[in-house]
Amino acid sequence: MINYVGIMNTAFINMNQLDPIVSTNTIPIQQGYIASYLKKNKHDSVILDDVKDVPLTLDKLNRYMQEFQPGLVGFCGYHYLMERIRFFAGFIKMFYPETKIILGGPQALFMPEEGLVDLQDFDIICNRGEGEITTLEIVEALCNGDSLKNVPGISFKDSDKYFTTQVPKCMPDNLDIYPSPYISGIIDLSMKKTASVFTSRGCEHMCNFCVTPFFNSQKIRFHSIEHVLEEMEYLESAGMESLWIGDPNFTAYRNRTAELMEQKINKGIRIPFWCQTRVDMVDKKLLRLMKEAGLHCIGFGLESGSDNVLDNMNKGVFVNRFHEMVSYAQSIGLRVELFSMYGQPGETYEDARKTITVVQKYNIPIYANSCAQQLQLTYGSIYGKNPEKFKFRLSSKYLPRYLSYWHEYETCSMTTQDIKGTQAVWALYNAETEYNIKNNINIFHTIDFLITNREMLKKEQRFYEYLLYLASLLEDKEIMMECIEGFRRHISNDKARISQLLKQAEIYTESDRIQENSRAIVFCQYEGGDVSEKHILKPGLNDLRSRFPKFVLKGMKVQESKRVRLDDGTNVSLIVTVIRIFDRVKVKNINQLYGKYSQHNYSYLTFQLLERSSNELLLFLALKSTSYSRLSEMPHIFLNLVSYYSKMHKFTEIERCFQAMLSYTHDPHRTAEAFGDIIAFAGKYKEAADYYHKSDSSEQTLIKLAYTYAKSGNFEKAYELIVDMNKDDDIFYNEVMLECLQNLFPEKQNVIRNLNHKIMHMKVLKIAKDSNLTAQSAKGAVL
């Protein structure tokens, strides 16, 4: 038994699999407040990071559990992280069964008690209470051996029974009772340049999609101005370069905001900041003061570009107000972000398209906060409490009760396809997509996205511009031809507009000397140290297109080498060897797209050169230029071409590859299965099924076939294939079976819950075994 002796060690796991560790988004501010409040009350806490570029391993978690011996481990839940959270909770409960596990954060807010029935490894959900006070009361109840029934604001499990306690009677008005997680030393700021700060909590507006006003009794509570300024001074002295103020409505109380800004200026606190608010809670004078105090970017909740949709969601503000405030904010040099969403009740596809137009009107990059998301149907919101009232058509699939309906719905005016179409348009105009196109990054991911969504994007001119450009890079005449024909049908057959489109194509003729606008394929070898990741010239092969500045290489010939010193302050130099040189051809008519300029032979790019590089475009062009008979002798290399063709939706070409491979293989069934695996991995499930059919009828192949059926929505056929199998010890089999049961037999709740729990524990055991972790290795923490 763990002996708490009046105090308890607690651990919190900070998860973020979207942003790197240097991002402010990885600062565990919510958990930091709880941990600092526990520390103030004599209970030690640690926060363990599980972030994108430094994921938490079971071995590391196990060491913390043994050394720190926490009696309580807490997770801050978000919808997309729940399966990863369940994995770590499963490990802790399996190896340290006496440790209590609690779920808090946005995902836990208003979650029903039944969530614990699906979260079999969790003991407590903090679903009604404020994290700091509630966690402290839980810790002290456990330390004193008291029942958790006296802790308000939670649901908990005790001896396989479930209980929900009363809602807390009130929340503290003075947030200063919660110490700063920075000043108290809880949050590690190393490697950070931006910190998140909250000066208030709550919101007084009742937008239908939001839970914030319900949790805070439709009121706003504040830290004192003195507390906020002290924290700002500390963070500035700690080397932070900017602040992210996360208050839902930072300017809700104008006089308070103005006083805070004036005192920040008077105290000489120069650190710049970002904040969010409503456009009806700012005016020109306040914006000028905020800018003087360091505001560099402000986020407004646009939500929709349609007044009707805004009215339906009870937003209480209309588009003309956005125009006034956004225009003024930009005029004084502030960067503006506009939060928006689609999938609102009563919103049509055309309404959703208006929102993009509004954002573009102000030349705001569609990226991060300014890129719309689908409305999230969460527990506790007005929509979430009564979705039928607002004519949401909910999924019939069984959803674990730790998940709300989230995106599993249609509306009375938008089908699933309409919603996906809206998502595709936002992605098309996303600044990240534009960046990838301009820099030839993620080429196959992008062309897969374009072709997959071509029906939904056929009215968008940018779709054809991007598709033609990528098809010309890939030197694929068929896709180029389809692109031009689609433009003629859906956009315009006007010669001038077609000529303008043709300028997007990059086609080349070979040359013998590098000029300023040449394309050059070069091989780079670095000397003197590691090169910065930001440098455009990478070790190995590089394909320098016409937009890359080549003044250093100007005049070089094929096979010529040159030593170049980087001008980034390092002692690194590189030897550049020219492999091939091309001059760009101006495309004046469609026939040029299909002429000799648009396809070249890249067989001179040896696989030895390609293996030392990371340029997927050159690898594809080299594979494409190599005979299938030769590639068939190198199956592991040939399958790369199959993967690329899958993302280009070139299934006829894949079949040619398959037939060529059959001439050189002694195991046609295994070859068919390998093709199916590659195509399924690319997300082309119907086409993958064709190759699994060509393989043998082993149980493992049939499970893969069932998986493709399930992913294609044919759950009946998937279930029929595997229902009589005896593969209860196979994780993949159980995952496919779970998907079938959730969609075909949602009424079998206990079966589904137990299978879901079983799968997670199988995964934990597998990874633990791979990490050489056993119950024996963890026993020190539970004795």
Side-chain angles (χ1 to χ4, degrees):
M1 293 286 292
I2 299 174
N3 185 3
Y4 302 128
V5 197
I7 63 169
M8 179 188 290
N9 290 343
T10 59
F12 300 93
I13 298 181
N14 166 44
M15 287 188 179
N16 188 330
Q17 295 299 308
L18 296 178
D19 300 286
I21 193 171
V22 295
S23 167
T24 180
N25 293 331
T26 65
I27 289 181
I29 187 67
Q30 293 172 305
Q31 294 167 318
Y33 270 115
I34 297 171
S36 61
Y37 191 61
L38 290 173
K39 180 179 179 181
K40 176 182 175 182
N41 287 276
K42 314 303 181 188
H43 299 283
D44 286 339
S45 290
V46 296
I47 299 177
L48 311 181
D49 277 334
D50 174 47
V51 293
K52 185 176 181 179
D53 47 356
V54 188
L56 181 64
T57 64
L58 288 189
D59 182 61
K60 184 176 180 180
L61 176 58
N62 189 51
R63 289 200 306 273
Y64 270 105
M65 294 297 297
Q66 290 190 353
E67 294 168 7
F68 193 62
Q69 297 192 24
L72 179 74
V73 176
F75 294 87
C76 183
Y78 292 86
H79 192 277
Y80 82 99
L81 286 171
M82 284 308 298
E83 297 312 298
R84 190 170 181 85
I85 288 173
R86 288 182 61 233
F87 174 81
F88 285 115
F91 169 78
I92 294 167
K93 192 57 72 172
M94 185 181 297
F95 287 87
Y96 302 88
E98 300 214 7
T99 302
K100 299 296 183 183
I101 304 178
I102 182 173
L103 178 70
Q107 191 62 27
L109 207 58
F110 298 106
M111 183 186 293
E113 178 184 292
E114 290 84 352
L116 280 172
V117 182
D118 284 293
L119 292 171
Q120 295 184 27
D121 291 314
F122 280 77
D123 300 286
I124 308 162
I125 306 172
C126 182
N127 52 1
R128 297 294 190 280
E130 190 147 76
E132 295 89 347
I133 293 175
T134 304
T135 305
L136 176 62
E137 291 184 353
I138 290 169
V139 166
E140 292 186 340
L142 293 173
C143 286
N144 297 328
D146 296 337
S147 171
L148 292 177
K149 292 180 181 179
N150 297 319
V151 177
I154 64 171
S155 294
F156 70 97
K157 178 171 59 179
D158 185 14
S159 302
D160 293 326
K161 293 183 179 180
Y162 303 93
F163 304 89
T164 295
T165 63
Q166 63 182 1
V167 176
K169 293 181 180 179
C170 62
M171 303 286 189
D173 287 329
N174 178 16
L175 296 182
D176 287 356
I177 67 169
Y178 303 138
S180 165
Y182 302 111
I183 297 173
S184 60
I186 290 294
I187 292 181
D188 179 11
L189 290 172
S190 61
M191 299 181 67
K192 310 287 186 185
K193 293 299 180 184
T194 300
S196 53
V197 171
F198 283 84
T199 80
S200 69
R201 298 180 185 182
C203 179
E204 296 173 338
H205 293 266
M206 297 291 287
C207 300
N208 291 346
F209 55 84
C210 186
V211 301
T212 301
F214 289 99
F215 182 72
N216 292 276
S217 302
Q218 205 178 344
K219 62 186 292 188
I220 301 177
R221 298 169 293 134
F222 299 97
H223 280 292
S224 68
I225 288 176
E226 293 73 23
H227 175 103
V228 175
L229 292 170
E230 181 187 13
E231 193 166 53
M232 286 182 172
E233 283 185 308
Y234 176 85
L235 291 168
E236 188 171 61
S237 67
M240 296 299 100
E241 296 176 357
S242 62
L243 299 178
W244 181 88
I245 298 179
D247 302 27
N249 290 314
F250 178 60
T251 62
Y253 282 59
R254 189 193 188 285
N255 291 342
R256 176 183 180 274
T257 305
E259 183 182 353
L260 175 60
M261 296 296 94
E262 288 167 355
Q263 291 202 33
K264 183 176 185 294
I265 294 168
N266 293 337
K267 285 181 172 290
I269 304 172
R270 303 176 61 85
I271 188 167
F273 65 95
W274 173 99
C275 73
Q276 61 186 334
T277 191
R278 291 169 56 101
V279 289
D280 55 350
M281 289 184 167
V282 291
D283 54 56
K284 294 179 180 181
K285 184 177 180 181
L286 182 60
L287 284 174
R288 288 196 302 272
L289 176 62
M290 292 169 69
K291 184 177 188 300
E292 184 184 353
L295 176 66
H296 65 90
C297 179
I298 188 165
F300 294 122
L302 170 64
E303 319 311 352
S304 173
S306 164
D307 281 343
N308 287 336
V309 176
L310 289 171
D311 192 38
N312 287 343
M313 71 175 73
N314 197 33
K315 179 71 179 180
V317 67
F318 297 101
V319 175
N320 61 347
R321 178 65 176 175
F322 284 94
H323 177 69
E324 180 184 0
M325 286 296 103
V326 171
S327 298
Y328 182 76
Q330 291 179 326
S331 75
I332 62 173
L334 291 174
R335 189 160 61 88
V336 176
E337 296 176 336
L338 293 176
F339 300 92
S340 52
M341 61 182 71
Y342 50 87
Q344 296 278 346
E347 181 184 43
T348 64
Y349 175 84
E350 290 72 25
D351 289 329
R353 187 62 181 79
K354 283 181 186 177
T355 310
I356 299 178
T357 303
V358 171
V359 177
Q360 291 175 320
K361 174 180 178 180
Y362 302 108
N363 294 317
I364 295 173
I366 294 176
Y367 182 70
N369 290 334
S370 295
C371 187
Q373 297 180 338
Q374 184 181 344
L375 166 71
Q376 298 156 0
L377 202 56
T378 58
Y379 291 125
S381 69
I382 293 175
Y383 288 152
K385 288 178 180 178
N386 195 354
E388 292 81 6
K389 175 183 175 181
F390 296 95
K391 299 182 181 178
F392 285 100
R393 294 193 289 268
L394 304 176
S395 170
S396 60
K397 173 183 177 181
Y398 177 82
L399 290 173
R401 294 290 278 164
Y402 55 79
L403 299 178
S404 63
Y405 278 100
W406 203 246
H407 295 160
E408 298 283 339
Y409 66 84
E410 294 182 330
T411 71
C412 58
S413 51
M414 290 183 79
T415 64
T416 299
Q417 197 69 5
D418 291 330
I419 293 173
K420 287 182 178 179
T422 304
Q423 182 183 44
V425 176
W426 277 98
L428 178 70
Y429 289 98
N430 194 306
E432 185 174 0
T433 303
E434 182 179 10
Y435 178 85
N436 287 343
I437 291 284
K438 286 183 176 179
N439 294 279
N440 300 338
I441 300 171
N442 296 324
I443 291 172
F444 291 93
H445 169 80
T446 306
I447 200 165
D448 186 12
F449 158 73
L450 292 172
I451 297 175
T452 298
N453 295 286
R454 57 188 160 194
E455 184 61 27
M456 293 175 276
L457 298 174
K458 65 184 180 183
K459 300 293 185 182
E460 304 291 333
Q461 179 165 325
R462 183 171 292 191
F463 162 74
Y464 299 99
E465 294 171 349
Y466 283 172
L467 185 60
L468 184 61
Y469 173 72
L470 291 178
S472 68
L473 293 188
L474 297 167
E475 300 187 2
D476 192 292
K477 293 183 180 180
E478 182 183 11
I479 297 178
M480 287 192 285
M481 186 184 306
E482 290 175 355
C483 178
I484 297 296
E485 291 306 311
F487 185 88
R488 283 173 157 171
R489 283 195 309 273
H490 301 295
I491 302 295
S492 176
N493 199 26
D494 178 71
K495 288 184 178 180
R497 293 191 65 179
I498 293 174
S499 296
Q500 193 67 25
L501 174 66
L502 293 176
K503 292 181 181 180
Q504 303 301 320
E506 289 206 6
I507 62 174
Y508 297 88
T509 182
E510 291 200 27
S511 181
D512 59 358
R513 189 180 295 271
I514 295 179
Q515 303 300 321
E516 186 65 32
N517 292 318
S518 297
R519 172 194 172 199
I521 298 175
V522 301
F523 186 82
C524 297
Q525 293 175 283
Y526 279 86
E527 299 179 328
D530 295 327
V531 64
S532 167
E533 290 212 358
K534 294 181 179 179
H535 203 280
I536 196 165
L537 287 174
K538 306 299 181 188
L541 285 170
N542 292 259
D543 189 353
L544 309 182
R545 298 276 169 167
S546 57
R547 284 172 287 194
F548 177 74
K550 290 175 282 293
F551 55 89
V552 175
L553 309 179
K554 189 173 180 179
M556 291 182 68
K557 297 180 179 180
V558 174
Q559 299 305 318
E560 187 176 347
S561 297
K562 183 177 183 178
R563 178 178 273 102
V564 178
R565 182 172 292 277
L566 300 185
D567 58 357
D568 58 1
T570 67
N571 293 319
V572 178
S573 60
L574 65 155
I575 299 174
V576 181
T577 302
V578 179
I579 308 296
R580 278 293 188 280
I581 304 169
F582 303 87
D583 287 334
R584 186 172 179 181
V585 176
K586 290 185 178 179
V587 184
K588 298 179 180 179
N589 57 68
I590 293 173
N591 290 334
Q592 284 181 277
L593 289 181
Y594 316 135
K596 62 181 180 180
Y597 308 112
S598 60
Q599 282 190 313
H600 300 278
N601 188 325
Y602 294 86
S603 57
Y604 54 83
L605 296 175
T606 66
F607 297 126
Q608 289 77 15
L609 282 177
L610 290 162
E611 284 175 356
R612 297 169 63 185
S613 307
S614 57
N615 192 305
E616 61 177 4
L617 175 58
L618 289 180
L619 176 58
F620 168 73
L621 293 173
L623 293 174
K624 182 181 176 183
S625 300
T626 306
S627 69
Y628 287 172
S629 58
R630 184 185 172 202
L631 288 176
S632 297
E633 299 171 357
M634 303 175 286
H636 63 292
I637 294 176
F638 203 171
L639 288 175
N640 281 311
L641 183 59
V642 175
S643 175
Y644 292 138
Y645 277 147
S646 296
K647 294 168 185 174
M648 296 169 66
H649 299 231
K650 306 279 288 186
F651 301 111
T652 301
E653 202 61 45
I654 289 175
E655 180 60 20
R656 288 183 57 207
C657 294
F658 178 68
Q659 295 301 326
M661 187 83 92
L662 289 181
S663 303
Y664 288 84
T665 183
H666 300 295
D667 192 344
H669 295 306
R670 188 174 180 182
T671 299
E673 184 178 358
F675 270 62
D677 291 347
I678 294 292
I679 298 168
F681 187 76
K684 309 301 178 288
Y685 302 112
K686 291 181 180 178
E687 292 77 13
D690 293 338
Y691 288 90
Y692 289 136
H693 278 299
K694 295 175 183 179
S695 184
D696 58 21
S697 56
S698 68
E699 285 191 334
Q700 199 59 37
T701 303
L702 291 177
I703 295 170
K704 290 179 179 181
L705 180 58
Y707 171 76
T708 64
Y709 286 150
K711 287 296 182 181
S712 301
N714 195 340
F715 301 104
E716 294 87 353
K717 206 165 184 178
Y719 183 70
E720 183 181 326
L721 274 177
I722 64 173
V723 64
D724 294 324
M725 289 185 185
N726 184 18
K727 299 284 288 183
D728 288 347
D729 58 346
D730 185 294
I731 294 177
F732 186 40
Y733 163 83
N734 281 292
E735 287 181 323
V736 178
M737 178 58 76
L738 178 63
E739 189 76 9
C740 292
L741 293 176
Q742 287 176 322
N743 284 276
L744 296 177
F745 310 106
E747 71 280 1
K748 295 186 177 183
Q749 296 183 10
N750 288 335
V751 174
I752 293 171
R753 285 166 170 162
N754 291 335
L755 182 56
N756 194 18
H757 182 68
K758 172 187 173 182
I759 291 169
M760 188 56 69
H761 272 222
M762 291 173 74
K763 290 178 179 179
V764 170
L765 284 171
K766 182 180 185 304
I767 302 299
K769 182 179 179 182
D770 293 343
S771 303
N772 295 317
L773 296 174
T774 64
Q776 186 68 20
S777 70
K779 68 178 183 179
V782 295
L783 291 178

